[in-house]
Amino acid sequence: MENNPDTTLVTQTAPIANETHGGRAKCLQRLVRLDLPVPRTVALSFKAVHKIGAGHLPDVQAVVAQFPKGALMCVRPSSEDPDWGGPGAVLNIGINDARFAELCETMGEGPAASLYTRFVQSYAVNVARLDPDMFDEIEGEGREALAESLRAYEAETEEAFPQDTATQLTAVLRSMARAWEGTSARLLRQAKGAPADAGLGLVVQEMVFGIGSGQCGSGVLQLVDSDTGLPQITGRYMCQSQGRDALHGDAGAMYLTRDPRGASLEEAVPEAFETLKTHAALMRARLRAEMQVEFVIDEGKVHILDGMRVPRSSRAAVRIAVALADEGIISREEALMRVQPRTLTELLHRQVDPSAKRDVIGHGIAASPGAATGKIVFSATEAQAAASRSEPCILVRRETSPEDIRGMHAAHAVLTERGGITSHAAVIGRGIGLPCVVGASNMTFNLVKKTITAPDGRVFAAGDEITVDGSAGEILAGAAKMQEAALDETFQRLMDWAEEAADIGIRANADTPADAQTARNFDAHGIGLCRTEHMFFEPGRLTVMREMIFAESGEDRRAVLERLLPMQRDDFTQLFRIMQGQPVCIRLFDPPLHEFLPADKAGQRELAEALDLPLSDVTRRIDALTEYNPMLGLRGVRLGVTVPEIYEMQARAIFEATIDASRDGDPVVPEIMIPLVSARREVELVKTAVDAIAAAVRNEGEADFTYRLGVMVETPRAALRAGEIAPHCSFLSFGTNDLTQMTYGLSRDDAGRFMSDYVQQGVFPEDPFHVLDVDGVGELLQLGAERGRAAQPGITLSICGEHGGNPESIAFCRAAGFDYVSCSPFRVPVARLAAAQLAILHKIG
């Protein structure tokens, strides 16, 4: 049986692999190779277990024959990934009336009866599929409890409890195989990332009782704390127990090390404790991982039943990987590969404590990670007022607009009824590190009465306290217990290693000095997208902006924009100084002008008073600017061509800021990006105007500077005609938010309402606003990149949509030869780690 590929005796040389027999079987073989005291074990392959589920059994009698005569056995699952789960272990297989009598002689009637009773009840529930409640009435212990359990089994099944070892083992194997193949089990593991056809192996192991005379018991031990990753012997041990009984909170469980709170293994059996520590240290060094050791002590002797990867929090995962690399157990590159990029998100933001009780009152799309508690407010003004009182608040809106920017900055989290993963609230939330849940359509929002109603009927009004969990997409009642962010030296060292390994640039999307500082703190390679329109929503600027909109001629507009010029120049000067020596890509004005005008009557009256105009003039102008589909209307470069004064003012502000910031630091090379281009002539017109402004500023300031001008490719036509556009540009930056929107004909703000249905029914494999559609949108990117590079070989290529922080999208961009990706500042560490892992995978083939 040692060389049988399907029912394999676990020896040092047996043909066992993780891909054929599962992680538990392979780990047990590694422990055998370390000469650790592992009980005799037989591993059943994925293929064998699949056949068992279909009714084709292996030679079970031959499996039993591998163990000493009279030995009891246990069966445990062995899946390829322990996170995929599997059926529960069944212990003490092989015990029967005759073996019970023998055990009574060797270990005493009480322990023997305990073993037999445990197996009868486990067999009844897990194999015969009987209701576990049938044993609730059984009282007492020993022979009496055993007899009652056997009577209950026989009464329910109308047959005697099986006495043959092979019969028992056959039934257990068949039950576990079929449990794995069941629909609910398959769906559950697929939700954890397992493929639909994931296999299950089983290991049949000789029982070491942990029950009997002398010092007997079982427990688990690990050398690090699962929450912090710091060195600390943790675990539990319980006398007269089996399996993982010690972890079930039993009052009889003991600590491992000396502890003032109670008895410990170190004091009770010091020799066994030292042996365990030695074995655990050997496993750590030779298996190159922090391991949790499952052990049994039988009459003072230690036996190792299993070893598994220590369960760990995100912060522990980082610390463990770095510690193993520091000690030379693994390389730095392997340390980088052992940390999932998405787990870094939990380190960057406060999170709801995993142990906290959750009173969930609503669900939505997890749009921006992190969690926060605060009182409900329903307007940006109320959020700002709460912030002035140092009172945490949650901004609740039907959906947010650029006018809500200041309120979002003041709030601790945002909750919206509508929207998707790239809606306004989601994009801004990720950019400023603000927890955000959008598309909470299962809740009822009443903005007139200022209430939100949960599906269960509970009503929450303005001033009530709720918690928004942007990582899970949940809204909780009250204040949940929180876990703070953990950006320590260990995190920074991992990021330094990622920087050394990565071969694609990572920039940040940053609109404010605060965003830029966050990007700088996370060592972004510059700013890949600065959206200038957000700078115009400051109260002092919004009125001036509205004046410009109401100006009758180009000269009048220029006169008004003269007042905005120093404000814009100051914004850019701050950005340049923070990012000194790094590129800053500034997108010229993009949104339609109507977004800057009030939609409600009260706001329109205030605007009429501020501008000293009749209300009718204001409403007429607003009506004139209203568009049926503003996303496809007069915005982006179309405004730059038809209302050129805005771009002229912005270009002047950029160039004057360039001169200011370069006086006392490294020369700044700004990048100016034209949005929403679809034709070469648009680029030519804007480029001519920008070049003229640059020449004028050089002459006026008597200073020289250089700049780069490029295009934001976010229309399908721009991607297809990139060969015509590229010769007039230094760079092409693909805006995948709008490009996805236009390619699919989907509104990124409204698609969230039905996207989950589409994904569940297989229309789309993933939300294309969340994970880049490499087939459709990706083909446009590839065409644009190929045609752009063919026309201008040295052109810089990048993406600056929200996909830039997604590991799968980074893989696509890297393979397509892009120079960098740009993402929200708080996604920069995730993107840097993903980029490093891609480079490492490429290097090792």
Side-chain angles (χ1 to χ4, degrees), residues 373-377 382-383 385-394 410-412 463:
T373 296
K375 294 182 177 178
I376 298 172
V377 298
E382 292 169 9
S388 69
R389 301 190 298 269
S390 299
E391 190 176 89
C393 67
I394 307 296
H412 280 55

Side-chain angles (χ1 to χ4, degrees), residues 595-663:
E595 287 192 6
F596 294 86
L597 299 176
D600 60 313
K601 286 295 182 185
Q604 291 169 5
R605 279 194 296 272
E606 288 178 18
L607 179 57
E609 290 175 14
L611 300 181
D612 194 22
L613 290 172
L615 178 60
S616 59
D617 286 1
V618 171
T619 55
R620 193 160 42 245
R621 182 63 174 147
I622 292 172
D623 289 342
L625 287 171
T626 300
E627 298 176 296
Y628 288 110
N629 194 339
M631 198 280 291
L632 300 178
L634 185 57
R635 55 170 281 226
V637 70
R638 300 158 195 166
L639 262 177
V641 170
T642 58
V643 188
E645 299 83 15
I646 300 175
Y647 280 11
E648 290 170 7
M649 180 276 289
Q650 289 194 301
R652 176 170 285 275
I654 291 168
F655 296 139
E656 290 179 356
T658 299
I659 294 173
D660 288 348
S662 298
R663 285 196 181 105

Side-chain angles (χ1 to χ4, degrees), residues 384-542:
Q384 291 171 252
S388 69
R389 301 190 298 269
S390 299
E391 190 176 89
C393 67
I394 307 296
L395 177 60
V396 176
R397 302 288 289 156
R398 190 87 66 196
E399 56 191 335
T400 63
S401 69
E403 287 183 83
D404 293 313
I405 290 288
R406 286 177 64 78
M408 294 177 73
H409 277 282
H412 280 55
V414 173
L415 168 64
T416 70
E417 181 182 20
R418 300 173 185 156
I421 198 71
T422 55
S423 63
H424 179 270
V427 171
I428 301 304
R430 287 193 293 272
I432 63 178
L434 185 72
C436 180
V437 172
V438 301
S441 54
N442 70 333
M443 305 183 78
T444 303
F445 288 55
N446 190 323
L447 272 59
V448 176
K449 294 182 179 179
K450 294 190 174 183
T451 62
I452 51 174
T453 305
D456 63 8
R458 283 185 284 175
V459 178
F460 297 83
D464 289 346
E465 196 170 52
I466 61 171
T467 297
V468 170
D469 185 347
S471 300
E474 294 181 345
I475 303 96
L476 317 177
K481 183 182 175 185
M482 293 290 180
Q483 190 176 67
E484 295 302 321
L487 303 181
D488 56 12
E489 182 190 356
T490 307
F491 170 84
Q492 187 54 53
R493 293 183 63 215
L494 189 78
M495 289 293 96
D496 291 344
W497 299 347
E499 178 69 20
E500 294 171 9
D503 57 7
I504 185 171
I506 307 294
R507 294 196 198 179
N509 300 340
D511 308 333
T512 66
D515 295 344
Q517 190 59 59
T518 301
R520 189 85 198 197
N521 294 344
F522 287 139
D523 295 323
H525 300 148
I527 293 176
L529 173 63
C530 173
R531 292 164 285 224
T532 53
E533 58 270 14
H534 294 152
M535 300 171 175
F536 293 103
F537 283 96
E538 297 285 331
R541 306 179 187 192
L542 186 56

Side-chain angles (χ1 to χ4, degrees), residues 668-821:
V668 173
V669 181
E671 299 178 350
I672 297 176
M673 183 156 66
I674 310 170
L676 211 70
V677 165
S678 55
R680 178 188 64 192
R681 183 61 180 156
E682 292 171 322
V683 183
E684 291 173 342
L685 289 168
V686 174
K687 187 176 189 302
T688 300
V690 171
D691 285 345
I693 297 294
V697 173
R698 284 191 186 102
N699 291 333
E700 294 163 15
E702 297 181 352
D704 197 17
F705 57 84
T706 58
Y707 73 96
R708 305 176 75 221
L709 186 122
V711 160
M712 191 171 186
V713 181
E714 46 192 333
T715 68
R717 192 179 194 279
L720 294 171
R721 305 308 296 167
E724 288 181 1
I725 294 169
H728 302 275
C729 304
S730 298
F731 62 89
L732 297 177
S733 188
F734 292 79
T736 52
N737 295 355
D738 270 357
L739 188 57
T740 298
Q741 189 168 223
M742 294 190 195
T743 302
Y744 274 85
L746 279 175
S747 164
R748 69 189 194 193
D749 293 307
D750 299 319
R753 298 181 186 182
F754 60 84
M755 189 56 67
S756 61
D757 290 335
Y758 258 51
V759 172
Q760 286 171 10
Q761 296 185 52
V763 180
F764 303 149
E766 277 286 354
D767 181 343
F769 293 110
H770 188 218
V771 176
L772 182 68
D773 163 31
V774 296
D775 297 324
V777 180
E779 187 172 359
L780 283 173
L781 261 67
Q782 286 179 314
L783 281 172
E786 290 167 5
R787 293 174 181 181
R789 282 240 162 103
Q792 185 167 314
I795 199 165
T796 299
L797 300 176
S798 67
I799 67 168
C800 59
E802 283 300 302
H803 297 99
N806 182 280
E808 293 86 353
S809 307
I810 296 170
F812 173 85
C813 292
R814 185 180 174 279
F818 279 50
D819 297 284
Y820 71 85
V821 300

Side-chain angles (χ1 to χ4, degrees), residues 324-388:
L324 290 171
D326 283 342
E327 294 176 41
I329 294 174
I330 61 175
S331 67
R332 289 181 175 183
E333 290 183 338
E334 190 168 352
L336 287 166
M337 297 302 296
R338 289 194 181 187
V339 179
Q340 290 293 318
R342 290 186 178 87
T343 66
L344 293 186
T345 301
E346 296 177 24
L347 303 184
L348 301 173
H349 307 274
R350 294 179 81 215
Q351 303 284 341
V352 175
D353 192 302
S355 64
K357 185 178 179 182
R358 288 173 171 260
D359 183 5
V360 179
I361 59 172
H363 294 86
I365 296 169
S368 180
T373 296
K375 294 182 177 178
I376 298 172
V377 298
F378 285 88
S379 73
T381 304
E382 292 169 9
Q384 291 171 252
S388 69

